[in-house]
Amino acid sequence: MSATPQKNRPTRRALAAAAGLVTVGALVAAMPAGAHDRGDGNGNGHGNGHKSRTVDVQLLSFNDLHGNLEPPAGSAGTVRKTHADGTVESIPAGGVEYLATSLRTARKGNPYSVTAAGGDMVGASPLLSGLFHDEPTIEALNGLDLDVTAVGNHEFDEGASELARLQNGGCHPVEGCYEEGKEFGGAEFPYLAANVTEEKTGKPLLKPYTIWKKKGVKIGFIGVTLEGTPDIVTANGVKGLQFHDEVETINKYARELDRKGVKSIVALIHEGGAPASSSYDYDCDSPGAGDGISGPIVDIAKGITPKVDALVTGHTHQAYVCTVPDPSGKPRMVTSASSFGKLYTDTTLTYDRRTKDIVRTSVKSANHVVTRDQPRAADMTRLIDRWNKLAAPVASRPQGWISADIDGRGSTAPEKPLGNVIADAQLEGLAPADKGGAEIALMNPGGIRADLVHKASGSEGDGVVTYGEAFTVQPFTNMMNVVDLTGAQLVTALQQQVSGSNEAAPKILQVSRGLTYTLDLTKTGAERVVVGTIRLNGEPIDPARTYRVAMNEFLAGGGDGFAALGEGTNKLVGASDLDLFNAYLAAHSTATAPLAPPATGRITVIQ
């Protein structure tokens, strides 16, 4: 497919061409009077004909789009706002038609504007994009005038060669071109992967950094994904690659940029944190700088050299604008814009022409909602309509019926109603002796990518679950495995939900009917799982007995920190998770007897 012609392309191509390594400079010392004079925004100081010493650069950013070209459905398509009186409002948000309008409106009056992203632009995408290996999303990002992005873990879902194709273009090696006479043109922005190297050569897989230039202003961007990417991506996706420490990598390339004379730098980091509130307008600098945020990004931010002036982050799908102290103790902006294009961040970087550095004390930032009450961008509407037409024969097929919303991705509870449906579908499909003889099924929560929404997404009618909607819930099409695990290994796996790499941010497995236990969140680490309460069909788990356990191939490989699940033996490979999900919907629902949201209670939670 040829890319849609875009405006401002010379600037972005220059950025891509300049993507040699670049880093940001040291902190600016105290500035003389008048140094903050920003002139008229065009490089002129108060009409006196002289260039102002400083110029404001607008940095627009977002993260974790995951191919959500259309507005996300259900609770996954809202953001929370807390009003002064304490009431919380859910605001429908997202969709590239609205994101494009928001970004284009924000750029007006800002001649120095650069747009960057924090990774996971593609992967785990709804069918509209996922069916076409995310070519539609890359095309949309080109249309959004994205200047640069870091890779995220999901950029590796289909391996390094597919990521290279998304960057460089060319039709899919197996499925070919999707539109007659059109070859996919690839991304018109650089993907940065500073901490990803090839095992054989030790060389970076993609560019580690790039330099954005405009009228003498230079800003370096370094992009990294989380070091733990191999733990959360299938083995085939990261085969032949090594992932390195985020802080060490950023500091290395910051020094290199500094040597090249680039004193202003922004790090794009696909790793994030957890603010104390889920409201996008929460002040996470209260009572002090960075006090309201926790998680991996805090230690990362504290370790990154002061040469870096701002951090655009992602991965956790949270919204925050915080200042976390750098190693010198000075506050530095750390931002994230939720997910699925529901927010964008607008950051002002005041660039000092004399020092070529950012005036850190002048950095301002805020998240803004991509509301759906603004005009839709016509070019994005055309793009969506074009791809929807190609997807329609597959996407619109009915798979089943539901009586109400069944919350999955949008649920914040450890046990999610849709998680129960998915686990039950896997158990039912793999319980027959010739299918694996499964007694238990386990589903990783991160693999549930959406809610099942009762309201029709198209012309199918309310309550109808289409193939496209089911695909959006289970987009990875992981093959299912049934393995032997001892009761002791099963207990260890449940403990690994809340200990080890998952202690700070628990990953609660969704369990099939018959498996019950108590999760005591007042305790710490593995003790949160009350071992004496673990039962299967009312009987205590026997540590010495062997159980047949169904799970997707990602979990069976020990993914998401579940090493115990990777110890399974006597493996049988079954149907895909999506096929089992669709089969369950067909078997348990009709137009006159739709599937109701299941009761929860398999996991008893003590808060």
Side-chain angles (χ1 to χ4, degrees), residues 119 129 157 169 179 207 277 365 403 441 459 463 555 588 596:
S129 186
D157 283 347
E179 294 179 286
K207 294 169 182 173
S277 167
S365 188
S403 64
S459 60
L555 282 178
H588 292 272

Side-chain angles (χ1 to χ4, degrees), residues 260-280:
K260 291 190 173 193
V262 179
K263 305 297 183 181
S264 298
I265 196 164
V266 175
L268 308 176
I269 307 172
H270 191 70
E271 179 59 291
S277 167
S278 60
S279 290
Y280 86 90

Side-chain angles (χ1 to χ4, degrees), residues 429-452:
L430 300 172
D434 63 337
K435 303 295 185 184
E439 302 167 83
I440 300 166
L442 304 173
M443 175 64 194
N444 54 309
I448 306 170
R449 304 305 300 186
D451 303 333
L452 278 185

Side-chain angles (χ1 to χ4, degrees), residues 148-495:
V148 58
T149 184
V151 294
N153 54 287
H154 281 283
E155 263 81 17
F156 294 94
D157 283 347
E158 296 188 49
S161 59
E162 175 63 6
L163 174 56
R165 187 182 76 89
L166 292 180
Q167 176 72 85
N168 300 319
C171 295
H172 193 270
V174 176
E175 297 179 20
C177 300
Y178 295 112
E179 294 179 286
E180 181 125 12
K182 290 186 179 181
E183 181 171 327
F184 174 56
E188 296 176 5
F189 50 88
Y191 262 113
L192 305 181
N195 66 331
V196 186
T197 58
E198 298 174 350
E199 282 182 353
K200 288 184 178 179
T201 66
K203 294 181 179 178
L205 177 67
L206 296 170
K207 294 169 182 173
Y209 61 74
T210 192
I211 306 170
W212 179 85
K213 301 177 181 179
K214 187 165 186 179
K215 296 181 180 178
V217 175
K218 295 181 183 180
I219 298 178
F221 288 87
I222 302 172
V224 299
T225 187
L226 69 156
E227 184 182 8
T229 290
D231 299 327
I232 54 176
V233 173
T234 58
N236 284 337
V238 295
K239 187 176 181 180
L241 303 176
Q242 289 185 317
F243 292 77
H244 304 278
D245 181 85
E246 304 94 337
V247 173
E248 291 177 4
T249 302
I250 292 171
N251 289 349
K252 168 188 172 180
Y253 287 117
R255 290 191 297 271
E256 188 168 323
L257 287 168
D258 190 49
R259 289 195 298 270
K260 291 190 173 193
V262 179
K263 305 297 183 181
S264 298
I265 196 164
V266 175
L268 308 176
I269 307 172
H270 191 70
E271 179 59 291
S277 167
S278 60
S279 290
Y280 86 90
D281 55 344
Y282 167 67
D283 180 7
C284 65
D285 284 339
S286 177
D291 284 347
I293 188 171
S294 60
I297 198 61
V298 176
D299 287 339
I300 290 173
K302 289 179 178 178
I304 291 174
T305 171
K307 293 178 185 294
V308 175
D309 297 296
L311 280 55
V312 172
T313 73
H315 187 55
T316 58
H317 290 205
Q318 302 297 308
Y320 48 83
V321 173
C322 306
T323 52
V324 178
D326 69 15
S328 71
K330 296 185 178 180
R332 176 169 53 195
M333 195 64 71
V334 179
T335 68
S336 175
S338 184
S339 64
F340 301 171
K342 294 180 290 188
L343 298 175
Y344 72 92
T345 311
D346 190 336
T347 302
T348 299
L349 302 173
T350 300
Y351 182 90
D352 186 324
R353 295 182 184 275
R354 190 174 304 170
T355 64
K356 301 180 181 178
D357 205 351
I358 301 300
V359 183
R360 246 300 196 94
T361 54
S362 296
V363 175
K364 296 181 178 65
S365 188
N367 276 327
H368 301 278
V369 181
V370 177
T371 60
R372 299 181 196 168
D373 58 0
Q374 60 184 319
R376 294 183 295 176
D379 58 330
M380 293 295 142
T381 301
R382 289 192 297 271
L383 182 151
I384 289 170
D385 289 346
R386 195 177 94 245
W387 287 104
N388 263 331
K389 185 177 180 181
L390 290 172
V394 174
S396 60
R397 289 202 308 259
Q399 302 298 309
W401 291 261
I402 57 175
S403 64
D405 290 357
I406 304 180
D407 287 344
R409 189 73 183 185
S411 170
T412 58
E415 179 185 349
K416 307 174 191 305
L418 189 51
N420 288 354
V421 173
I422 292 170
D424 287 352
Q426 294 174 355
L427 177 62
E428 182 170 297
L430 300 172
D434 63 337
K435 303 295 185 184
E439 302 167 83
I440 300 166
L442 304 173
M443 175 64 194
N444 54 309
I448 306 170
R449 304 305 300 186
D451 303 333
L452 278 185
V453 178
H454 184 262
K455 182 177 175 59
S457 59
S459 60
E460 73 276 10
D462 291 349
V464 178
V465 180
T466 65
Y467 184 88
E469 290 166 339
F471 183 98
T472 297
V473 170
Q474 296 253 262
F476 297 108
T477 318
N478 278 315
M479 301 309 293
M480 292 299 299
N481 292 179
V482 186
V483 300
D484 284 349
L485 288 174
T486 65
Q489 289 171 319
L490 181 61
V491 169
T492 299
L494 293 177
Q495 291 173 324

